[in-house]
Amino acid sequence: MKRNQLVVLLMSMLVITSCKDFLDLAPKSVSTDENFWKTQADANSAVAGMYSLLRGAFNGANGVAFYAYGDMPSDEFTTSNTYPYQHVVSMNWGLPLSVYDTGNPMHQLRRYDLFYRVIDQANRVIKYVPEMDANVFDNQRARNYLLGEAYYMRAFTYFYISRIWGGVPVLTEAVAPIYAENHPAATSDEVIAQALADLEKAKQLLDWQNLASADFAMRANKGAAFALEAHVQAWTGNYEASAAAADSVIQSGLYYYVSRDSIPYHTIFEGRSAEGIFEISQGAANEGTRIGIGDFTLAGTKYHRTYTAPKLTTTKAHIKSLFDEPEDKRLKYTYDTTVNNSFVICNKYANLTYSDETNNAVGIYKNNIIIFRFSDIKLLRAEGLAMTGAAATARTILDEIRAQAGLQPWDGEGDLTAAIFRERARELFLEGHRYYDMVRQYKYSGDYAFNNTRMSEELFNRGKYIWPFDPSLLNLNPLLRQTAYWSTVNL
């Protein structure tokens, strides 16, 4: 018990401490490694630490890093009334900052420290679990499964940060402080290759059922691995492989739609719903966060005691254009147009409680971060099929998603691939997908959906859609080079 408590404490320290070196390569618990890896409970605690560290990374930048990368620069928002998020929305990512302004969310978004802590913890599990005595595990399945989770988390993290920065350093070994050194960035292709190699190992080691049933969707299983593969392959334009991986998830029979009627639909975002494939837990009774996407999207007495306007602005005009069929259940149950004449409240993350009934009560948001869910993978398969010429099957899936929302089949007007991307925009609004969908849509179908005042096609092709490294990273690591477009901008 003492050993497990120590790991939890050390994991917490990893989340809250700042990085002094290039990647903060030194595991904070390295001094305990010699005496730590003794039981299955030890290994399980170390694996659980990876998910805690990923939650810390996604809750960076005042609780919204996941959405700052995946939603804010898309067409979902017009601006923010809170500094510096208006610059995130407008893609002014080169905003000059003082070297001392390390608490600035833009500074944090341009650094990858927290993600490399996840990678380092995965590397430690991959290093030490195979060295442990096999007899301390319940069985070989348990040992393999925990190792599979580490390969999954390393694959996921490399894929995620590659979408943000393109090429990043690839580290696959746990290192002691004395051996820590700077590393140049691998190419984006090399990073993706590492992620796919890790995924192959993860798929071999993981099962469809988690070691503990309570961990379903909260920790990786084979379904999460195939879902990740579907996204990785789509990102690289390998749509045949993407569609096949998505089909593996669907054929597993483990996931199914949640009703789009009001109360059932909102359970998706509280977490652990029938649609959940992989999500970050912070919606349980003993969890929650004082900051997060709900703090940026809720306003008005109906949703928030103190905010009269949301920190992120979604206009009525955009929602009316996106949801052009008024009978859409998603429009009816997740968007409130009555609070104000100029903005819309998206209430997907309205699971808000307060510490007490006073005016000074602290708001606590209890929504999981939904990374992969069933309808996402369904539509990703439809995208892959449409891109590879299987239009009839792709259209069947599109109509299936529309039927869940109470809509008639697609009318067939326009391009099928564009219709699928538009359906993803409706279905997955504010779930961390839209920005990356817009990138894929342009790269592989030639349909440019970005606002030209934020990023023209010419700037996209020069690489503006890839985030810059914060100058502090470049100062710490002489082998790191600024990303292509942002090397021409004075940060």
Side-chain angles (χ1 to χ4, degrees), residues 67-375:
Y67 306 94
Y69 295 128
D71 292 292
M72 288 189 198
S74 74
D75 53 2
E76 294 177 347
F77 301 107
T78 57
T79 189
S80 172
N81 59 23
T82 304
Y83 175 85
Y85 298 98
Q86 71 271 34
H87 297 288
V88 178
V89 171
S90 65
M91 298 185 70
N92 181 26
W93 300 338
L95 180 70
L97 299 174
S98 165
V99 294
Y100 304 106
D101 196 8
T102 57
N104 191 299
M106 185 67 82
H107 171 90
Q108 297 168 7
L109 289 168
R110 296 191 307 218
R111 291 186 64 115
Y112 46 41
D113 313 55
L114 296 179
F115 292 106
Y116 274 95
R117 292 173 184 172
V118 183
I119 290 168
D120 182 68
Q121 185 68 3
N123 287 342
R124 293 175 65 241
V125 174
I126 291 168
K127 172 181 172 61
Y128 289 108
V129 167
E131 297 176 357
M132 295 174 66
D133 185 343
N135 294 322
V136 305
F137 292 91
D138 291 343
N139 47 51
Q140 187 62 35
R141 173 182 180 265
R143 184 179 194 167
N144 287 345
Y145 198 100
L146 294 170
L147 192 58
E149 288 186 80
Y151 279 112
Y152 172 86
M153 287 294 282
R154 192 168 74 180
F156 175 87
T157 308
Y158 273 128
F159 169 62
Y160 194 86
I161 62 177
S162 181
R163 288 194 302 183
I164 299 169
W165 289 284
V168 294
V170 171
L171 306 175
T172 57
E173 295 183 2
V175 295
I178 191 173
Y179 300 115
E181 60 181 88
N182 296 328
H183 290 260
T187 67
S188 58
D189 287 344
E190 290 169 337
V191 180
I192 293 297
Q194 179 63 52
L196 287 172
D198 284 343
L199 260 180
E200 285 305 307
K201 293 178 180 177
K203 288 190 298 182
Q204 294 170 16
L205 294 164
L206 294 170
D207 292 331
W208 290 100
Q209 298 293 339
N210 294 71
L211 288 180
S213 59
D215 291 335
F216 194 81
M218 302 296 100
R219 288 171 57 162
N221 63 6
K222 201 179 288 283
F226 276 110
L228 174 57
E229 183 182 9
H231 272 279
V232 175
Q233 299 289 11
W235 183 251
T236 63
N238 188 352
Y239 275 111
E240 185 175 349
S242 175
D247 192 48
S248 294
V249 178
I250 295 165
Q251 294 302 320
S252 73
L254 295 176
Y255 313 98
Y256 50 92
Y257 295 112
V258 170
S259 169
R260 270 41 180 169
D261 291 331
S262 179
I263 294 177
Y265 192 29
H266 281 84
T267 65
I268 293 175
F269 312 105
E270 294 171 11
R272 303 178 64 84
S273 76
E275 290 207 21
I277 298 173
F278 183 53
E279 51 196 66
I280 301 300
S281 179
Q282 55 189 23
N286 62 337
E287 296 175 329
T289 175
R290 292 177 58 183
I291 53 177
I293 191 60
D295 198 55
F296 281 69
T297 54
L298 303 178
T301 55
K302 183 177 179 181
Y303 297 105
H304 202 288
R305 290 183 182 178
T306 56
Y307 296 160
T308 57
K311 295 178 182 178
L312 292 168
T313 302
T314 298
T315 65
K316 283 189 173 181
H318 176 67
I319 295 302
K320 184 177 180 180
S321 173
L322 181 62
F323 291 90
D324 51 1
E325 297 170 274
E327 64 271 25
D328 195 319
K329 292 182 179 181
R330 297 165 299 189
L331 171 65
K332 180 178 180 181
Y333 294 124
T334 57
Y335 300 90
D336 193 330
T337 62
T338 66
V339 175
N340 186 277
N341 289 328
S342 60
F343 59 75
V344 173
I345 297 294
C346 176
N347 61 28
K348 284 185 174 181
Y349 305 102
N351 189 25
L352 170 63
T353 60
Y354 291 91
S355 57
D356 55 61
E357 296 304 316
T358 68
N359 291 333
N360 296 322
V362 174
I364 302 172
Y365 302 92
K366 292 180 176 291
N367 291 96
N368 283 359
I369 298 175
I370 311 301
I371 297 175
F372 303 136
R373 66 180 174 99
F374 187 57
S375 58

